[in-house]
Amino acid sequence: MTLPLQGVRIVAVEQYGAGPFGTQHLADLGAEVIKIENPNEGGEIGRHVGPYFFEEGDSHFYQSFNRNKKSVVLNLKNPEEKAQLIELLKSADALYDNLRGDLPEKLGLTYEALKAHNPALVCCHLSAYGREGARKAWPGYDYLMQAEAGYCSLTGEPDGPPARFGLSIVDMMTGTTAALALVSALVGARATGVGRDIDVSLYDVAMHNINYLGTWYLNEGVKTERTPRSAHPSLTPSQLYKTQDGWMFIMCNKEKFWAVLTELIGKPEWASNDLYGSFKARLANRDQLTEALDAVLMQQPTAYWLKHFGGLVPAAPVNDIGQALDNPFALEQGVIVEGEHPVRGKIKTLACPIRCPGEQLPKRPAPRLGAHQSILATVGPR
C-alpha cells in the first residue's frame, strides 16, 4: 500500500495560514510539497509569527501549518531565480499559491504563462477576493471575512457586541477547499494531459458556508440573528446548559433524542406534554425550557451527566483548549502526533484528520528555511 498522493509534486508559493493549511493536508497524504520562500523576507511570514518559537525563524505557528514539506529559497522577481522555478515546474504536477489576487498574473504564475513549459500543470490560486473583479488587488484576512460574511453578527450573546470565532475558521475552510480544488483539477489533468487554472478565495468560501441561513434569507427573507446560549435557530434543546460545575452542550436535533433525554433526567412527562412535546412547542417555550433544564442539570457535575447519558443523548462538555487536548479520548483517537525537531527533540502537532487504514502518515516537522535547495540542481522534465 502507498499513501494516496505519493508521487505527486506540488510547488507552493505560500505563506501564513490558509495556503499552508491546505497543502499540509496534501503533504500529510504523501504529496511532495516544495515551499518557495523569499530570501529577502527571512522566508514566509509564518516563520516569524510569535510569541512562541522552537528556534529563530521557526515559530510554533509555522510548525502548525507546514508539516512534511520541503523548503526552497527563490526570489521570483529575479529573472535567473524565476527561471529556476520554471525548471522546477517542468517536473511538477501542480503550482499552488495564496498570493493577492492580482499577483499570479504579474508574476507569471498562471496556466497561460506556464503551459508551454508543462501542458499538464495545474495552477491552483487561493486569494482573498479572487483574481477577477473590483477587489482582486485587495489584501484580505480571515477576521475581515467573518465580519463581512455575517459570521460576527451570528456569534455571541444577543445583548453583547458582535464576535468572531475563536479560531481562524475561514482560513482553515479555504485551505481545505483549495486542497480539494487542486486534487480535483489534477484528476482532470491526468485524464486529459491538459492542466488549468483553478481558483478559491476566502470571500467565496466564507459566503458559501452561510449555507442554509443563506437559503432562508434568499427564499423567505429571514435574517437569522444571535440566540441566547449559542442555541440552534430553530431546534431545541440544542444549546448550552448549566451544570453543577460548568457548562455542557446538548443537541436533541431529532425527536427521538428528546424522549431519551427526558427519561434520563427523570422527567419523562416532558416528552409528550403541551409545553415541550414537539419541536414547535419547545421552540415556542424555549426560555422556559432552558430554565427547567438548568434546574435539573445543575444538580450534578458535567462528568456525571456525560457518563449518565452514555452516548444515548448527543452531548459534550465545554472544554478549554487544555482540557480538549488532554482528553483521554483525544489520545485514544490519535489526534496528536509527535515529530523529531532538530533543536527541541520531540514536538507535538495536531494530526491530519484524514485517515488511511493500514498506513502511517508521515510526521516530519516543518523544514528549516532553504533546507531542500539541492532540489534545484536535480530537476528536469519527467
Side-chain angles (χ1 to χ4, degrees), residues 195-218:
R196 68 173 69 224
D197 289 302
I198 195 158
D199 285 88
V200 175
S201 76
L202 298 176
Y203 179 78
D204 287 355
V205 171
M207 293 294 290
H208 178 260
N209 280 278
I210 296 172
N211 199 269
Y212 63 94
L213 302 184
T215 304
W216 289 350
Y217 175 75
L218 292 171

Side-chain angles (χ1 to χ4, degrees), residues 17-288:
F21 188 75
T23 52
Q24 182 168 267
H25 287 317
L26 306 176
D28 284 344
L29 292 172
E32 180 188 26
V33 176
I34 304 170
K35 291 176 66 72
I36 305 299
E37 303 194 63
N38 189 335
N40 298 329
E41 299 176 353
E44 74 128 293
I45 190 173
R47 292 181 176 275
H48 311 288
V49 175
Y52 307 110
F53 294 85
F54 292 109
E55 60 179 324
E56 185 177 355
D58 183 12
S59 70
H60 288 207
F61 183 94
Y62 167 73
Q63 284 288 341
S64 300
F65 292 96
N66 291 286
R67 183 176 54 231
N68 293 319
K69 300 180 187 179
K70 297 179 178 179
S71 171
V72 167
V73 175
L74 288 174
N75 179 359
L76 300 187
K77 295 182 179 179
N78 179 304
E80 292 182 3
E81 295 184 39
K82 175 67 177 298
Q84 290 181 290
L85 174 70
I86 290 175
E87 287 302 310
L88 182 58
L89 291 173
K90 290 177 181 179
S91 67
D93 296 285
L95 170 65
Y96 177 103
D97 74 76
N98 70 317
L99 299 167
R100 201 178 65 208
D102 61 325
L103 290 179
E105 185 173 357
K106 290 181 179 178
L107 293 172
L109 301 181
T110 63
Y111 181 70
E112 184 62 31
L114 297 168
K115 65 182 181 181
H117 306 290
N118 184 348
L121 185 70
V122 168
C123 296
C124 181
H125 311 284
L126 189 165
S127 60
Y129 297 101
R131 292 188 304 122
E132 302 292 336
R135 297 189 188 180
K136 68 179 183 180
W138 286 24
Y141 296 97
D142 181 295
Y143 299 174
L144 303 180
M145 306 304 160
Q146 290 194 40
E148 186 165 6
Y151 294 24
C152 294
S153 76
L154 297 168
T155 307
E157 290 297 309
D159 57 353
R164 65 169 177 84
F165 279 62
L167 302 171
S168 298
I169 193 68
V170 177
D171 276 350
M172 312 298 188
M173 293 189 299
T174 307
T176 302
T177 303
L180 170 63
L182 186 151
V183 171
S184 299
L186 185 58
V187 170
R190 290 197 165 181
T192 65
V194 179
R196 68 173 69 224
D197 289 302
I198 195 158
D199 285 88
V200 175
S201 76
L202 298 176
Y203 179 78
D204 287 355
V205 171
M207 293 294 290
H208 178 260
N209 280 278
I210 296 172
N211 199 269
Y212 63 94
L213 302 184
T215 304
W216 289 350
Y217 175 75
L218 292 171
N219 294 281
E220 306 297 338
V222 174
K223 287 194 282 188
T224 303
E225 298 178 348
R226 280 172 282 167
T227 52
R229 303 274 191 93
S230 297
H232 189 284
S234 60
L235 302 177
T236 192
S238 187
Q239 64 180 63
L240 291 163
Y241 293 96
K242 292 180 181 179
T243 65
Q244 191 179 85
D245 61 348
W247 296 86
M248 67 187 305
F249 214 114
I250 296 175
M251 296 188 72
C252 294
N253 285 20
K254 294 182 178 180
E255 287 286 12
K256 68 176 183 179
F257 293 131
W258 171 242
V260 174
L261 176 63
T262 60
E263 286 287 340
L264 290 174
I265 64 174
K267 300 290 183 180
E269 67 276 10
W270 288 1
S272 57
N273 69 14
D274 291 341
L275 286 175
Y276 308 140
S278 68
F279 274 130
K280 184 177 181 180
R282 291 193 297 278
L283 186 62
N285 296 287
R286 174 149 55 190
D287 292 345
Q288 182 175 336

Side-chain angles (χ1 to χ4, degrees), residues 333-356:
Q333 291 296 102
V335 301
I336 300 168
V337 295
E338 287 188 342
E340 197 68 36
H341 189 272
V343 171
R344 283 285 295 270
K346 291 190 182 299
I347 64 171
K348 297 178 180 180
T349 52
L350 279 298
C352 179
I354 301 171
R355 298 171 185 263
C356 298

